[in-house]
Amino acid sequence: MASIVKSACPLNCWDSCGFHVTVENDKVIKVEGDPSHPITKGKICGRGRMLETRTNSPERILYPLKKVNGEFKQISWNQALDEIAIQLKEIKDQYGSTAVLHSHDYANNGILKNLDQRFFNAYGGVTELYGSLCWGAGIEAQKWDFGDAYGHEPEDVLNSKNIVVWGRNVARTNMHFYEKLLEAKKKGAKIYVIDPLFNATAKIADEYMSVKPGMDGLLASGIIKEILRLGLEDREFIEHYSYGFEDLEKLIEGISLEKISEMTEVSVEKIQLLAKVFADKPTSTFMGLGLQRYKNGGNTIRLIDALAAVSGNIGIPGGGANYANLQVGQSFDISNLTLSSRKERHRQFSIMKQAEEVLSATNPEIKMIVVTCGNPLTQVPDSSVVEKAFSSVSTLVVIEQFMTDTAQLADYILPTTTSFEEEDLYYSSMYHHYVNYGPKLVLAPEEAKSDLWIWTQLAERLGFGEDFQFSRDQWLEMSLHSLAEKGLTIDELKEQHTLELPVKKVPWSDHQFKTASGKFEFTSMNKGEEGQLTLAVPEESKWNNPLLAEKFPYNLLTIHPLRSNHSQNYHLFSKAPVLKVEVAENITVDKQLQEGDYVRVWNNRGEVKGYLSILPKAHPNTINIDEGIWKRFGGSVNNLTSSGESDNGLGSTLYDCLVNIEKVN
């Protein structure tokens, strides 16, 4: 007999939805939305629904695999774990524990996925990754400005008179905020969308402004310049609650509005309109992640933060420079889970440049890579170098559910469970402030095991098994320790399935910032010359590299796919996907291309081939290829992208990418 059980989405996504999962005969039959969830209210996206297909797919890896003479052979768990443990011990004894690289990402957002860090810390400390392919430059930028990256609660947007959605297609990536925008619009709020692509969110806007990719920070500086010219700035906030405003004034004086218009390819009239919009507060700003994936990405977010501050939209209901909401994740005691004090050695590689660093590492060289919650062969930039690096080490261990591009290279593949086959807690630090409970709903098929089981077994073989001798409930209680003191317990969460976390719903309302000065910092006090805002533009642009721009005249964007969370679902589509190359209309004229043409897109790093589709109203000279598509379907688009780092070193430059295009006969 079928039953419907409350559960939660594990995907690292803005919305962190509540589920109703239908289970029959120990099998997940259907995934739908939970109408009682306070934010997601019964509506979920196709990516969430695909978790049923993912769980039941006949393509799942169900037994440990070892590569022997270039072919995968099924082996027992005991053999796999014994051999991996022996190699971990020998590597540590001979080279030191940092000869192991832990390459990880966030394919599953469960709290207990942090136990991989506990294992490697108890092992003695390995080479870890820092930074983020996704949002790192913006997070670091807001820490420089505010002291942390906090956002307003979802309902607060209904207090906004004006809403600026900047580089964020919420219709695709944040569907419940999209619905909130519609509600705010019915109440009289005006919506302004700034984006190089005319997307589904732009269709509901009162005004859409197309901007040249990577020039968003410069556009923000132009809006500030016009606000100051009109005398519309918030002098009280600037004089009492900010630091370094004089540096910003001096910077803005050095460029004309006409020059900003020329470089951003946004008209002076629209810049002037936006100045009045921001001054007509409360105006809320919601930033996307793509606009900080450039060499100048941190500076871009900081200039938009500065715009919100100058216009007086910080710390007020209906305002905010909303990028992330780290106070959600800070509610949990992750340090209790990870045992960071157990590290004896420590080394870090940039997540963006992990491949180059593997190839150049000395003292010690990297001898083993262990991949968790990720598919770096598809997702990490400059794919050809990534493949070379991951093929160069003695042992590559991949914990996976499917034969991904990364798994294809592995020496050992350890099959892991899906979210419905294990118990965990889920939250998102991007949008709302609720934590969701995901119970174990069905048994894992064949020999698939949870990550926690794998770490426990390896820990026992390596002599620190006592660090993992806790029940699942004890692990969850450990992560909720500080919340229990506020009356939020694991028992209550299990009963209700969703709990509201104690966060500030309108951050910075007391004007007490977490910066060195205690104020909003236009110039970051502790960063020296680097702390000053600049009018930086993308590395790959005619302004910085005219010869490169002449050879490769088109900006490449690599936005999130509609039906897959990064690379997770492409192989599960009922119809095999193909690589789609979406281009602005002027490119079809320049290159004499037509809808459906088979085209080659290339630069000095590599090439991909796919089928052309015309993007209506896209900014001139802009191309998009959705990220995440596998090699067997024509990818990865990261054959084209750069492994460079953002200006503050914590983010990627995935969108800082020039290419050329031609028809393939």
Side-chain angles (χ1 to χ4, degrees), residues 587-603:
I587 298 175
T588 65
V589 176
D590 296 345
K591 294 287 187 173
Q592 297 184 321
L593 299 172
Q594 295 182 344
E595 184 84 19
D597 281 349
Y598 190 56
V599 295
R600 167 182 176 246
V601 181
W602 83 97
N603 59 20

Side-chain angles (χ1 to χ4, degrees), residues 76-96:
S76 69
W77 271 109
N78 278 338
Q79 181 183 346
L81 295 166
D82 287 348
E83 291 181 6
I84 292 168
I86 288 169
Q87 290 186 49
L88 283 167
K89 186 177 188 307
E90 290 177 347
I91 288 170
K92 183 177 179 180
D93 291 345
Q94 187 171 353
Y95 304 102

Side-chain angles (χ1 to χ4, degrees), residues 9 13-19 32-49 153-158 163 168-185 191 201 204 286 428 430-434 436:
C9 186
C13 167
W14 296 87
D15 294 69
S16 192
C17 295
F19 283 169
E32 297 177 304
D34 175 7
S36 70
H37 192 280
I39 298 295
T40 61
K41 297 179 180 177
K43 295 184 179 179
I44 62 172
C45 72
R47 294 182 289 267
R49 295 181 194 279
E153 62 132 348
E155 290 293 320
D156 185 61
V157 74
L158 300 180
I163 305 165
R168 182 167 160 186
N169 183 10
V170 300
R172 176 177 286 205
T173 61
N174 191 185
M175 62 179 291
H176 299 94
F177 180 50
Y178 178 80
E179 291 185 337
K180 197 60 66 177
L181 287 178
L182 294 175
E183 185 179 349
K185 188 170 183 176
I191 299 174
T201 308
I204 67 167
F286 293 86
S428 172
M430 294 182 283
Y431 180 48
H432 69 75
H433 57 285
Y434 289 78
N436 301 328

Side-chain angles (χ1 to χ4, degrees), residues 91 127 361 646:
I91 288 170
T127 299
S646 62

Side-chain angles (χ1 to χ4, degrees), residues 346-448:
H346 184 53
R347 179 169 65 175
Q348 289 187 312
F349 288 170
S350 159
I351 192 171
M352 286 70 71
K353 290 187 173 296
Q354 60 184 287
E356 291 95 323
E357 300 214 54
V358 166
L359 293 170
S360 63
T362 58
N363 300 318
E365 297 179 0
I366 296 297
K367 297 296 182 181
M368 177 187 283
I369 301 175
V370 181
V371 178
T372 64
C373 285
N375 182 14
L377 264 289
T378 302
Q379 294 297 149
V380 173
D382 207 347
S383 297
S384 61
V385 180
V386 179
E387 183 169 0
K388 181 180 178 182
F390 279 62
S391 301
S392 72
V393 298
S394 302
T395 306
L396 174 62
V397 179
V398 177
I399 299 177
E400 247 302 344
Q401 296 162 357
F402 294 93
M403 191 61 72
T404 63
D405 292 347
T406 306
Q408 290 276 6
L409 284 187
D411 297 290
Y412 295 91
I413 304 175
L414 305 181
T416 189
T417 47
T418 69
S419 60
F420 299 139
E421 297 157 359
E422 61 184 31
E423 180 185 32
D424 214 333
L425 309 182
Y426 304 102
Y427 69 91
S428 172
S429 287
M430 294 182 283
Y431 180 48
H432 69 75
H433 57 285
Y434 289 78
V435 59
N436 301 328
Y437 173 61
K440 180 177 179 178
L441 301 181
V442 295
L443 295 174
E446 302 301 337
E447 295 183 19

Side-chain angles (χ1 to χ4, degrees), residues 319-600:
N322 298 281
Y323 177 77
N325 201 4
L326 296 190
Q327 58 182 329
V328 178
Q330 290 164 3
S331 300
F332 304 101
D333 295 285
I334 301 301
S335 60
N336 288 340
L337 296 179
T338 58
L339 287 181
S340 58
S341 62
R342 291 284 293 280
K343 293 178 189 175
E344 298 167 8
R345 300 186 182 187
H346 184 53
R347 179 169 65 175
Q348 289 187 312
F349 288 170
S350 159
I351 192 171
M352 286 70 71
K353 290 187 173 296
Q354 60 184 287
E356 291 95 323
E357 300 214 54
V358 166
L359 293 170
S360 63
T362 58
N363 300 318
E365 297 179 0
I366 296 297
K367 297 296 182 181
M368 177 187 283
I369 301 175
V370 181
V371 178
T372 64
C373 285
N375 182 14
L377 264 289
T378 302
Q379 294 297 149
V380 173
D382 207 347
S383 297
S384 61
V385 180
V386 179
E387 183 169 0
K388 181 180 178 182
F390 279 62
S391 301
S392 72
V393 298
S394 302
T395 306
L396 174 62
V397 179
V398 177
I399 299 177
E400 247 302 344
Q401 296 162 357
F402 294 93
M403 191 61 72
T404 63
D405 292 347
T406 306
Q408 290 276 6
L409 284 187
D411 297 290
Y412 295 91
I413 304 175
L414 305 181
T416 189
T417 47
T418 69
S419 60
F420 299 139
E421 297 157 359
E422 61 184 31
E423 180 185 32
D424 214 333
L425 309 182
Y426 304 102
Y427 69 91
S428 172
S429 287
M430 294 182 283
Y431 180 48
H432 69 75
H433 57 285
Y434 289 78
V435 59
N436 301 328
Y437 173 61
K440 180 177 179 178
L441 301 181
V442 295
L443 295 174
E446 302 301 337
E447 295 183 19
K449 302 291 186 182
S450 70
D451 291 30
L452 176 53
W453 183 89
I454 295 170
W455 300 129
T456 301
Q457 293 294 315
L458 284 171
E460 288 177 358
R461 286 164 169 80
L462 289 166
F464 51 90
E466 67 277 4
D467 292 316
F468 283 81
Q469 294 306 310
F470 300 94
S471 68
R472 201 99 186 177
D473 265 2
Q474 287 173 319
W475 290 118
L476 296 175
E477 287 172 359
M478 201 181 296
S479 68
L480 294 180
H481 178 71
S482 61
L483 288 171
E485 297 172 356
K486 300 176 182 178
L488 301 178
T489 66
I490 186 62
D491 290 338
E492 185 182 7
L493 178 54
K494 283 185 176 185
E495 182 181 343
Q496 298 188 21
H497 283 265
T498 301
L499 284 180
E500 184 176 8
L501 296 169
V503 302
K504 292 182 178 179
K505 297 183 178 182
V506 178
W508 320 121
S509 59
D510 57 2
H511 293 153
Q512 299 298 306
F513 298 93
K514 294 171 67 176
T515 56
S517 66
K519 300 180 177 183
F520 177 90
E521 294 189 353
F522 292 104
T523 295
S524 184
M525 178 181 282
N526 288 340
K527 300 295 180 180
E529 288 188 13
E530 289 184 3
Q532 292 195 6
L533 290 165
T534 70
L535 300 179
V537 297
E539 184 79 7
E540 295 193 9
S541 67
K542 66 181 181 181
W543 307 101
N544 265 338
N545 197 332
L547 293 178
L548 185 73
E550 187 174 344
K551 186 176 180 182
F552 302 109
Y554 305 120
N555 292 98
L556 176 69
L557 304 179
T558 51
I559 68 174
H560 293 318
L562 178 62
R563 297 171 59 206
S564 181
N565 199 54
H566 303 298
S567 66
Q568 291 184 29
N569 290 348
Y570 281 97
H571 62 301
L572 301 174
F573 294 167
S574 56
K575 181 180 178 182
V578 296
L579 189 139
K580 182 166 67 170
V581 180
E582 299 178 299
V583 305
E585 291 185 59
N586 78 295
I587 298 175
T588 65
V589 176
D590 296 345
K591 294 287 187 173
Q592 297 184 321
L593 299 172
Q594 295 182 344
E595 184 84 19
D597 281 349
Y598 190 56
V599 295
R600 167 182 176 246

